Amino acid sequence: QASLSIWGWGSLGIVLFLITFGPFVIFYLTFYILCFVGGGLVVTLLFGKTNSEKYLEQCEHSFLPPTSTGVPKCLEEMKREARTIKIDRRLTGANIIDEPLQQVIQFSLRDYVQYWYYTLSDDESFLLEIRQTLQNALIQFATRCWGYSSE
C-alpha cells in the first residue's frame, strides 16, 4: 500500500516535471551537471595549487613597475646626512607666554602624535617638522593679533 503510494506520487512528479519543462530537460540537466563537474575537474587538474600560486605570483608582479636603484640610494643618503637641529623657542616675544605655549606644544606632540608615530618610525624629523609648523602658526597668530591690537 505504502510503496504503491510512493510510486504513484513519484511518477506523478516526473510526469508533471516533463510536462512543465519539456521532454529534453533530462538531457539538458544531465549535460549541465556533466559540464559543471567536468569543468571543475579540468580546472583542478590543469591549475593545481602550485600552478595557480605561480600564476597569481606572475600576475601580481607583472602589474608592478620595476623599482629604481635611485630610491634606496636617496634613502641611504638621507639617513647618513646629519642635520643640525635649530629650534627657535620664541613665539610671541614675551617669556611669560612663550614657556607655557612651548609646554602645550610639547605635551600635545607627546600625547597625540608620538604614541602612534613611534610605532611607524624612529626618525625625529617628522616630529620636528610638526613642532616647527605649530610654532610658525603661533608666531603668525601672535603677530596678527599684535598688529590688530595696535590699530
Side-chain angles (χ1 to χ4, degrees):
Q1 194 81 345
S3 66
L4 183 63
S5 174
I6 290 174
W7 282 104
W9 283 108
S11 61
L12 178 65
I14 291 172
V15 169
L16 289 175
F17 182 79
L18 290 175
I19 291 172
T20 304
F21 296 110
F24 295 108
V25 74
I26 296 172
F27 300 114
Y28 291 135
L29 193 59
T30 307
F31 178 71
Y32 293 149
I33 291 173
L34 285 175
C35 285
F36 180 76
V37 171
L41 288 174
V42 167
V43 167
T44 303
L45 291 175
L46 289 180
F47 298 103
K49 183 177 185 240
T50 55
N51 288 341
S52 63
E53 285 176 353
K54 287 178 186 176
Y55 178 73
L56 287 174
E57 196 172 301
Q58 288 173 355
C59 288
E60 186 176 290
H61 292 300
S62 67
F63 296 118
L64 296 175
T67 58
S68 65
T69 57
V71 174
K73 285 183 182 178
C74 269
L75 290 174
E76 200 175 292
E77 190 71 30
M78 287 173 60
K79 286 180 183 176
R80 277 192 276 138
E81 181 181 301
R83 291 193 327 180
T84 57
I85 300 168
K86 184 178 171 184
I87 298 175
D88 188 12
R89 298 187 61 85
R90 294 176 296 162
L91 297 173
T92 62
N95 245 358
I96 201 164
I97 297 173
D98 287 349
E99 286 305 315
L101 281 176
Q102 287 293 341
Q103 285 181 348
V104 167
I105 291 173
Q106 179 183 352
F107 293 148
S108 299
L109 285 174
R110 182 193 68 190
D111 294 342
Y112 297 110
V113 178
Q114 285 179 356
Y115 83 94
W116 62 264
Y117 178 70
Y118 282 136
T119 61
L120 300 175
S121 174
D122 294 331
D123 189 21
E124 296 283 332
S125 62
F126 176 72
L127 297 172
L128 293 173
E129 291 293 329
I130 289 179
R131 176 183 284 277
Q132 192 64 39
T133 303
L134 284 171
Q135 287 180 351
N136 288 340
L138 286 172
I139 290 169
Q140 289 297 322
F141 180 72
T143 55
R144 291 180 187 209
C145 286
W146 180 254
Y148 288 126
S149 65
S150 64
E151 289 177 1

